[in-house]
Amino acid sequence: MISILVPTRERSVMFYESIKSLGDNVEILAYVDIDDPQLSGYLSVVQDNLTFVIGKRFTYHKLHEYYNKLARLASGDWLMLWNDDAEMITPNWTEFLHAPISPEVINFDKNEQNNLFPVISRQMYQAMGHFSLSPHNDSWVQDIANILSIHTYIDGVNIQHHRDIIDDSTKRETQAAYEVTSPLHYSDELQRLMQTDIEKIKENL
């Protein structure tokens, strides 16, 4: 079982198309802000494998809080970061996954330095106690995986990220937040926290 973690805001139609591309053999956990003007549109989407978490807005400066909230509710052997503007192109893609036996990060991107949709094993999540401590969630996971050499690249799974063709307030807000939070990801404080996560994972390798 793989759990898909996807925060979403003001993109209820796009969100539905995105999760539909993932197929039925996944658990989907979606976080929607309680003040989202499209909340009713989200809640009109009913799927057996879809659970909505409705809660306070953390904003994009604390994007990791969304993923951490969802990760605590996930039951899968794998936990995957997902975006509401992404599309899974490969059918039956979950068949490419193996059963995890240790802390591990799956990368479906051919550029192993650019894992936009990292998948972490339950063992890695349990060792750290969270998904990420940085609003740059993909970079947090990627950096740790690269340092510990626990990245596994799986060929044959293709994901289309539609962010380049989208022009909406959500995208503009995200970009503005990332300009501010990028230096934070490499701050001394977060690097110390990352080192703590690394030590925790080492104990489980």
mmCIF file of all heavy atoms in Angstrom, residues 26-64:
data_model
loop_
_atom_site.group_PDB
_atom_site.id
_atom_site.type_symbol
_atom_site.label_atom_id
_atom_site.label_comp_id
_atom_site.label_asym_id
_atom_site.label_seq_id
_atom_site.Cartn_x
_atom_site.Cartn_y
_atom_site.Cartn_z
ATOM 1 N N VAL A 26 -4.340 2.971 -4.303
ATOM 2 C CA VAL A 26 -3.566 3.860 -3.430
ATOM 3 C C VAL A 26 -4.487 4.428 -2.361
ATOM 4 O O VAL A 26 -5.711 4.455 -2.518
ATOM 5 C CB VAL A 26 -2.922 5.034 -4.221
ATOM 6 C CG1 VAL A 26 -1.893 4.530 -5.213
ATOM 7 C CG2 VAL A 26 -3.987 5.869 -4.908
ATOM 8 N N GLU A 27 -3.880 4.877 -1.270
ATOM 9 C CA GLU A 27 -4.599 5.631 -0.252
ATOM 10 C C GLU A 27 -4.265 7.105 -0.465
ATOM 11 O O GLU A 27 -3.099 7.466 -0.516
ATOM 12 C CB GLU A 27 -4.160 5.194 1.147
ATOM 13 C CG GLU A 27 -4.758 6.032 2.270
ATOM 14 C CD GLU A 27 -4.167 5.686 3.634
ATOM 15 O OE1 GLU A 27 -2.920 5.747 3.780
ATOM 16 O OE2 GLU A 27 -4.942 5.351 4.538
ATOM 17 N N ILE A 28 -5.295 7.951 -0.580
ATOM 18 C CA ILE A 28 -5.083 9.370 -0.832
ATOM 19 C C ILE A 28 -5.551 10.170 0.377
ATOM 20 O O ILE A 28 -6.699 10.042 0.821
ATOM 21 C CB ILE A 28 -5.835 9.834 -2.088
ATOM 22 C CG1 ILE A 28 -5.366 9.047 -3.310
ATOM 23 C CG2 ILE A 28 -5.627 11.332 -2.314
ATOM 24 C CD1 ILE A 28 -6.184 9.293 -4.558
ATOM 25 N N LEU A 29 -4.644 10.985 0.910
ATOM 26 C CA LEU A 29 -4.952 11.858 2.040
ATOM 27 C C LEU A 29 -4.744 13.296 1.582
ATOM 28 O O LEU A 29 -3.637 13.663 1.176
ATOM 29 C CB LEU A 29 -4.044 11.542 3.225
ATOM 30 C CG LEU A 29 -4.172 10.113 3.770
ATOM 31 C CD1 LEU A 29 -2.923 9.705 4.518
ATOM 32 C CD2 LEU A 29 -5.372 10.015 4.681
ATOM 33 N N ALA A 30 -5.798 14.093 1.621
ATOM 34 C CA ALA A 30 -5.741 15.466 1.123
ATOM 35 C C ALA A 30 -6.058 16.455 2.230
ATOM 36 O O ALA A 30 -7.013 16.266 2.987
ATOM 37 C CB ALA A 30 -6.723 15.650 -0.034
ATOM 38 N N TYR A 31 -5.254 17.496 2.316
ATOM 39 C CA TYR A 31 -5.477 18.559 3.305
ATOM 40 C C TYR A 31 -6.047 19.774 2.590
ATOM 41 O O TYR A 31 -5.470 20.272 1.627
ATOM 42 C CB TYR A 31 -4.172 18.926 3.994
ATOM 43 C CG TYR A 31 -4.355 19.768 5.248
ATOM 44 C CD1 TYR A 31 -4.148 19.224 6.512
ATOM 45 C CD2 TYR A 31 -4.736 21.112 5.173
ATOM 46 C CE1 TYR A 31 -4.318 19.986 7.663
ATOM 47 C CE2 TYR A 31 -4.906 21.874 6.307
ATOM 48 C CZ TYR A 31 -4.696 21.307 7.557
ATOM 49 O OH TYR A 31 -4.876 22.069 8.693
ATOM 50 N N VAL A 32 -7.183 20.254 3.091
ATOM 51 C CA VAL A 32 -7.819 21.453 2.550
ATOM 52 C C VAL A 32 -8.010 22.448 3.684
ATOM 53 O O VAL A 32 -8.495 22.087 4.767
ATOM 54 C CB VAL A 32 -9.176 21.123 1.900
ATOM 55 C CG1 VAL A 32 -9.783 22.379 1.277
ATOM 56 C CG2 VAL A 32 -9.028 20.038 0.841
ATOM 57 N N ASP A 33 -7.632 23.697 3.442
ATOM 58 C CA ASP A 33 -7.799 24.735 4.455
ATOM 59 C C ASP A 33 -9.280 24.965 4.738
ATOM 60 O O ASP A 33 -10.113 24.965 3.815
ATOM 61 C CB ASP A 33 -7.180 26.052 3.985
ATOM 62 C CG ASP A 33 -5.690 25.945 3.727
ATOM 63 O OD1 ASP A 33 -5.036 25.155 4.435
ATOM 64 O OD2 ASP A 33 -5.190 26.662 2.835
ATOM 65 N N ILE A 34 -9.592 25.214 5.982
ATOM 66 C CA ILE A 34 -10.986 25.412 6.367
ATOM 67 C C ILE A 34 -11.553 26.685 5.749
ATOM 68 O O ILE A 34 -12.770 26.818 5.575
ATOM 69 C CB ILE A 34 -11.125 25.430 7.906
ATOM 70 C CG1 ILE A 34 -12.591 25.258 8.308
ATOM 71 C CG2 ILE A 34 -10.501 26.689 8.497
ATOM 72 C CD1 ILE A 34 -12.785 24.972 9.780
ATOM 73 N N ASP A 35 -10.671 27.627 5.370
ATOM 74 C CA ASP A 35 -11.140 28.873 4.762
ATOM 75 C C ASP A 35 -11.069 28.851 3.235
ATOM 76 O O ASP A 35 -11.241 29.886 2.584
ATOM 77 C CB ASP A 35 -10.341 30.064 5.301
ATOM 78 C CG ASP A 35 -8.881 30.042 4.848
ATOM 79 O OD1 ASP A 35 -8.419 28.981 4.369
ATOM 80 O OD2 ASP A 35 -8.202 31.083 4.975
ATOM 81 N N ASP A 36 -10.837 27.674 2.662
ATOM 82 C CA ASP A 36 -10.730 27.569 1.206
ATOM 83 C C ASP A 36 -12.078 27.904 0.563
ATOM 84 O O ASP A 36 -13.084 27.280 0.883
ATOM 85 C CB ASP A 36 -10.299 26.148 0.806
ATOM 86 C CG ASP A 36 -9.835 26.071 -0.634
ATOM 87 O OD1 ASP A 36 -10.571 26.523 -1.532
ATOM 88 O OD2 ASP A 36 -8.731 25.550 -0.866
ATOM 89 N N PRO A 37 -12.115 28.870 -0.355
ATOM 90 C CA PRO A 37 -13.383 29.222 -0.996
ATOM 91 C C PRO A 37 -13.974 28.100 -1.844
ATOM 92 O O PRO A 37 -15.156 28.151 -2.196
ATOM 93 C CB PRO A 37 -13.022 30.443 -1.854
ATOM 94 C CG PRO A 37 -11.547 30.384 -2.029
ATOM 95 C CD PRO A 37 -11.003 29.741 -0.796
ATOM 96 N N GLN A 38 -13.179 27.085 -2.173
ATOM 97 C CA GLN A 38 -13.675 25.961 -2.961
ATOM 98 C C GLN A 38 -13.901 24.712 -2.105
ATOM 99 O O GLN A 38 -13.980 23.598 -2.623
ATOM 100 C CB GLN A 38 -12.694 25.634 -4.091
ATOM 101 C CG GLN A 38 -12.530 26.750 -5.114
ATOM 102 C CD GLN A 38 -11.620 26.351 -6.257
ATOM 103 O OE1 GLN A 38 -11.383 25.171 -6.520
ATOM 104 N NE2 GLN A 38 -11.106 27.345 -6.969
ATOM 105 N N LEU A 39 -14.033 24.895 -0.799
ATOM 106 C CA LEU A 39 -14.168 23.756 0.106
ATOM 107 C C LEU A 39 -15.317 22.841 -0.284
ATOM 108 O O LEU A 39 -15.176 21.611 -0.294
ATOM 109 C CB LEU A 39 -14.354 24.253 1.545
ATOM 110 C CG LEU A 39 -14.487 23.176 2.631
ATOM 111 C CD1 LEU A 39 -13.270 22.254 2.654
ATOM 112 C CD2 LEU A 39 -14.696 23.818 4.000
ATOM 113 N N SER A 40 -16.464 23.407 -0.615
ATOM 114 C CA SER A 40 -17.616 22.577 -0.990
ATOM 115 C C SER A 40 -17.331 21.778 -2.249
ATOM 116 O O SER A 40 -17.800 20.641 -2.405
ATOM 117 C CB SER A 40 -18.866 23.443 -1.184
ATOM 118 O OG SER A 40 -18.660 24.395 -2.224
ATOM 119 N N GLY A 41 -16.543 22.356 -3.162
ATOM 120 C CA GLY A 41 -16.173 21.634 -4.378
ATOM 121 C C GLY A 41 -15.300 20.439 -4.081
ATOM 122 O O GLY A 41 -15.453 19.365 -4.679
ATOM 123 N N TYR A 42 -14.383 20.598 -3.150
ATOM 124 C CA TYR A 42 -13.543 19.467 -2.737
ATOM 125 C C TYR A 42 -14.394 18.359 -2.118
ATOM 126 O O TYR A 42 -14.254 17.178 -2.460
ATOM 127 C CB TYR A 42 -12.498 19.925 -1.723
ATOM 128 C CG TYR A 42 -11.319 20.635 -2.318
ATOM 129 C CD1 TYR A 42 -11.148 22.009 -2.148
ATOM 130 C CD2 TYR A 42 -10.361 19.947 -3.051
ATOM 131 C CE1 TYR A 42 -10.056 22.668 -2.690
ATOM 132 C CE2 TYR A 42 -9.270 20.598 -3.602
ATOM 133 C CZ TYR A 42 -9.121 21.959 -3.421
ATOM 134 O OH TYR A 42 -8.035 22.590 -3.966
ATOM 135 N N LEU A 43 -15.254 18.733 -1.205
ATOM 136 C CA LEU A 43 -16.030 17.738 -0.468
ATOM 137 C C LEU A 43 -17.064 17.029 -1.336
ATOM 138 O O LEU A 43 -17.629 16.025 -0.921
ATOM 139 C CB LEU A 43 -16.701 18.395 0.741
ATOM 140 C CG LEU A 43 -15.728 18.992 1.775
ATOM 141 C CD1 LEU A 43 -16.491 19.582 2.947
ATOM 142 C CD2 LEU A 43 -14.746 17.934 2.260
ATOM 143 N N SER A 44 -17.297 17.560 -2.530
ATOM 144 C CA SER A 44 -18.213 16.878 -3.450
ATOM 145 C C SER A 44 -17.542 15.702 -4.140
ATOM 146 O O SER A 44 -18.191 14.884 -4.782
ATOM 147 C CB SER A 44 -18.735 17.861 -4.502
ATOM 148 O OG SER A 44 -17.686 18.279 -5.368
ATOM 149 N N VAL A 45 -16.206 15.623 -4.010
ATOM 150 C CA VAL A 45 -15.452 14.502 -4.583
ATOM 151 C C VAL A 45 -15.473 13.347 -3.585
ATOM 152 O O VAL A 45 -14.930 13.449 -2.492
ATOM 153 C CB VAL A 45 -13.992 14.902 -4.885
ATOM 154 C CG1 VAL A 45 -13.236 13.714 -5.471
ATOM 155 C CG2 VAL A 45 -13.954 16.082 -5.840
ATOM 156 N N VAL A 46 -16.117 12.262 -3.953
ATOM 157 C CA VAL A 46 -16.242 11.111 -3.055
ATOM 158 C C VAL A 46 -15.584 9.897 -3.700
ATOM 159 O O VAL A 46 -15.954 9.474 -4.795
ATOM 160 C CB VAL A 46 -17.717 10.799 -2.748
ATOM 161 C CG1 VAL A 46 -17.817 9.578 -1.841
ATOM 162 C CG2 VAL A 46 -18.400 11.998 -2.109
ATOM 163 N N GLN A 47 -14.588 9.354 -3.035
ATOM 164 C CA GLN A 47 -13.913 8.129 -3.480
ATOM 165 C C GLN A 47 -13.621 7.282 -2.252
ATOM 166 O O GLN A 47 -13.310 7.811 -1.179
ATOM 167 C CB GLN A 47 -12.592 8.441 -4.192
ATOM 168 C CG GLN A 47 -12.733 9.118 -5.531
ATOM 169 C CD GLN A 47 -11.397 9.322 -6.228
ATOM 170 O OE1 GLN A 47 -11.307 10.030 -7.224
ATOM 171 N NE2 GLN A 47 -10.351 8.687 -5.730
ATOM 172 N N ASP A 48 -13.704 5.981 -2.422
ATOM 173 C CA ASP A 48 -13.462 5.079 -1.293
ATOM 174 C C ASP A 48 -12.051 5.217 -0.740
ATOM 175 O O ASP A 48 -11.823 4.994 0.454
ATOM 176 C CB ASP A 48 -13.711 3.629 -1.714
ATOM 177 C CG ASP A 48 -15.182 3.355 -1.984
ATOM 178 O OD1 ASP A 48 -16.027 4.114 -1.478
ATOM 179 O OD2 ASP A 48 -15.476 2.383 -2.699
ATOM 180 N N ASN A 49 -11.097 5.562 -1.601
ATOM 181 C CA ASN A 49 -9.690 5.613 -1.173
ATOM 182 C C ASN A 49 -9.233 7.029 -0.829
ATOM 183 O O ASN A 49 -8.037 7.279 -0.678
ATOM 184 C CB ASN A 49 -8.785 5.033 -2.254
ATOM 185 C CG ASN A 49 -8.813 5.842 -3.540
ATOM 186 O OD1 ASN A 49 -9.772 6.557 -3.824
ATOM 187 N ND2 ASN A 49 -7.759 5.733 -4.339
ATOM 188 N N LEU A 50 -10.174 7.978 -0.718
ATOM 189 C CA LEU A 50 -9.839 9.385 -0.492
ATOM 190 C C LEU A 50 -10.344 9.857 0.863
ATOM 191 O O LEU A 50 -11.519 9.693 1.194
ATOM 192 C CB LEU A 50 -10.444 10.251 -1.594
ATOM 193 C CG LEU A 50 -10.388 11.774 -1.406
ATOM 194 C CD1 LEU A 50 -8.949 12.262 -1.341
ATOM 195 C CD2 LEU A 50 -11.156 12.471 -2.536
ATOM 196 N N THR A 51 -9.436 10.452 1.649
ATOM 197 C CA THR A 51 -9.791 11.043 2.932
ATOM 198 C C THR A 51 -9.375 12.500 2.950
ATOM 199 O O THR A 51 -8.226 12.823 2.635
ATOM 200 C CB THR A 51 -9.089 10.310 4.098
ATOM 201 O OG1 THR A 51 -9.498 8.940 4.100
ATOM 202 C CG2 THR A 51 -9.448 10.945 5.428
ATOM 203 N N PHE A 52 -10.314 13.373 3.299
ATOM 204 C CA PHE A 52 -10.001 14.790 3.427
ATOM 205 C C PHE A 52 -9.708 15.130 4.881
ATOM 206 O O PHE A 52 -10.378 14.656 5.794
ATOM 207 C CB PHE A 52 -11.179 15.653 2.961
ATOM 208 C CG PHE A 52 -11.296 15.779 1.475
ATOM 209 C CD1 PHE A 52 -12.344 15.170 0.793
ATOM 210 C CD2 PHE A 52 -10.362 16.503 0.741
ATOM 211 C CE1 PHE A 52 -12.462 15.293 -0.578
ATOM 212 C CE2 PHE A 52 -10.467 16.614 -0.632
ATOM 213 C CZ PHE A 52 -11.531 16.017 -1.297
ATOM 214 N N VAL A 53 -8.695 15.959 5.068
ATOM 215 C CA VAL A 53 -8.419 16.551 6.370
ATOM 216 C C VAL A 53 -8.683 18.049 6.219
ATOM 217 O O VAL A 53 -8.041 18.709 5.397
ATOM 218 C CB VAL A 53 -6.967 16.305 6.810
ATOM 219 C CG1 VAL A 53 -6.692 17.012 8.127
ATOM 220 C CG2 VAL A 53 -6.694 14.808 6.933
ATOM 221 N N ILE A 54 -9.625 18.563 6.967
ATOM 222 C CA ILE A 54 -9.972 19.977 6.913
ATOM 223 C C ILE A 54 -9.407 20.639 8.166
ATOM 224 O O ILE A 54 -9.703 20.217 9.287
ATOM 225 C CB ILE A 54 -11.495 20.189 6.859
ATOM 226 C CG1 ILE A 54 -12.140 19.265 5.814
ATOM 227 C CG2 ILE A 54 -11.819 21.649 6.588
ATOM 228 C CD1 ILE A 54 -11.649 19.486 4.412
ATOM 229 N N GLY A 55 -8.598 21.659 7.997
ATOM 230 C CA GLY A 55 -7.982 22.272 9.162
ATOM 231 C C GLY A 55 -7.520 23.691 8.898
ATOM 232 O O GLY A 55 -7.771 24.260 7.828
ATOM 233 N N LYS A 56 -6.862 24.251 9.865
ATOM 234 C CA LYS A 56 -6.405 25.634 9.754
ATOM 235 C C LYS A 56 -5.374 25.774 8.646
ATOM 236 O O LYS A 56 -4.699 24.815 8.272
ATOM 237 C CB LYS A 56 -5.812 26.104 11.077
ATOM 238 C CG LYS A 56 -4.458 25.493 11.414
ATOM 239 C CD LYS A 56 -3.871 26.135 12.660
ATOM 240 C CE LYS A 56 -2.457 25.626 12.938
ATOM 241 N NZ LYS A 56 -1.851 26.289 14.111
ATOM 242 N N ARG A 57 -5.251 26.973 8.157
ATOM 243 C CA ARG A 57 -4.312 27.236 7.082
ATOM 244 C C ARG A 57 -2.922 27.505 7.653
ATOM 245 O O ARG A 57 -2.743 28.360 8.515
ATOM 246 C CB ARG A 57 -4.768 28.441 6.261
ATOM 247 C CG ARG A 57 -3.934 28.659 5.012
ATOM 248 C CD ARG A 57 -4.425 29.857 4.230
ATOM 249 N NE ARG A 57 -3.694 29.993 2.984
ATOM 250 C CZ ARG A 57 -3.789 31.030 2.157
ATOM 251 N NH1 ARG A 57 -4.602 32.034 2.468
ATOM 252 N NH2 ARG A 57 -3.094 31.075 1.047
ATOM 253 N N PHE A 58 -1.932 26.759 7.166
ATOM 254 C CA PHE A 58 -0.553 26.953 7.602
ATOM 255 C C PHE A 58 0.198 27.933 6.712
ATOM 256 O O PHE A 58 1.235 28.443 7.104
ATOM 257 C CB PHE A 58 0.199 25.620 7.607
ATOM 258 C CG PHE A 58 -0.294 24.649 8.647
ATOM 259 C CD1 PHE A 58 -1.055 23.553 8.294
ATOM 260 C CD2 PHE A 58 0.005 24.839 9.983
ATOM 261 C CE1 PHE A 58 -1.497 22.654 9.253
ATOM 262 C CE2 PHE A 58 -0.435 23.959 10.950
ATOM 263 C CZ PHE A 58 -1.185 22.855 10.582
ATOM 264 N N THR A 59 -0.304 28.161 5.507
ATOM 265 C CA THR A 59 0.324 28.945 4.435
ATOM 266 C C THR A 59 1.527 28.188 3.868
ATOM 267 O O THR A 59 1.995 27.208 4.452
ATOM 268 C CB THR A 59 0.779 30.357 4.885
ATOM 269 O OG1 THR A 59 1.993 30.258 5.639
ATOM 270 C CG2 THR A 59 -0.297 31.060 5.679
ATOM 271 N N TYR A 60 2.026 28.667 2.747
ATOM 272 C CA TYR A 60 3.115 27.976 2.065
ATOM 273 C C TYR A 60 4.448 28.130 2.780
ATOM 274 O O TYR A 60 5.392 27.399 2.489
ATOM 275 C CB TYR A 60 3.202 28.454 0.616
ATOM 276 C CG TYR A 60 2.033 27.991 -0.190
ATOM 277 C CD1 TYR A 60 0.945 28.824 -0.421
ATOM 278 C CD2 TYR A 60 1.983 26.692 -0.684
ATOM 279 C CE1 TYR A 60 -0.155 28.387 -1.141
ATOM 280 C CE2 TYR A 60 0.886 26.242 -1.404
ATOM 281 C CZ TYR A 60 -0.175 27.098 -1.624
ATOM 282 O OH TYR A 60 -1.270 26.658 -2.311
ATOM 283 N N HIS A 61 4.544 29.088 3.701
ATOM 284 C CA HIS A 61 5.767 29.210 4.481
ATOM 285 C C HIS A 61 5.950 28.025 5.430
ATOM 286 O O HIS A 61 7.050 27.770 5.911
ATOM 287 C CB HIS A 61 5.761 30.512 5.288
ATOM 288 C CG HIS A 61 5.854 31.734 4.438
ATOM 289 N ND1 HIS A 61 4.759 32.284 3.798
ATOM 290 C CD2 HIS A 61 6.921 32.510 4.095
ATOM 291 C CE1 HIS A 61 5.138 33.347 3.105
ATOM 292 N NE2 HIS A 61 6.440 33.504 3.268
ATOM 293 N N LYS A 62 4.858 27.326 5.707
ATOM 294 C CA LYS A 62 4.910 26.140 6.570
ATOM 295 C C LYS A 62 4.293 24.950 5.844
ATOM 296 O O LYS A 62 3.516 24.177 6.413
ATOM 297 C CB LYS A 62 4.178 26.409 7.888
ATOM 298 C CG LYS A 62 4.835 27.481 8.744
ATOM 299 C CD LYS A 62 4.131 27.631 10.089
ATOM 300 C CE LYS A 62 4.828 28.658 10.959
ATOM 301 N NZ LYS A 62 4.156 28.810 12.275
ATOM 302 N N LEU A 63 4.664 24.794 4.599
ATOM 303 C CA LEU A 63 4.097 23.728 3.773
ATOM 304 C C LEU A 63 4.337 22.348 4.378
ATOM 305 O O LEU A 63 3.521 21.435 4.230
ATOM 306 C CB LEU A 63 4.695 23.796 2.363
ATOM 307 C CG LEU A 63 4.097 22.867 1.310
ATOM 308 C CD1 LEU A 63 2.612 23.134 1.109
ATOM 309 C CD2 LEU A 63 4.847 23.017 -0.018
ATOM 310 N N HIS A 64 5.463 22.193 5.084
ATOM 311 C CA HIS A 64 5.775 20.894 5.675
ATOM 312 C C HIS A 64 4.748 20.480 6.724
ATOM 313 O O HIS A 64 4.549 19.280 6.964
ATOM 314 C CB HIS A 64 7.163 20.918 6.304
ATOM 315 C CG HIS A 64 7.374 22.031 7.269
ATOM 316 N ND1 HIS A 64 7.466 23.349 6.886
ATOM 317 C CD2 HIS A 64 7.527 22.032 8.618
ATOM 318 C CE1 HIS A 64 7.662 24.113 7.938
ATOM 319 N NE2 HIS A 64 7.700 23.347 9.002
#
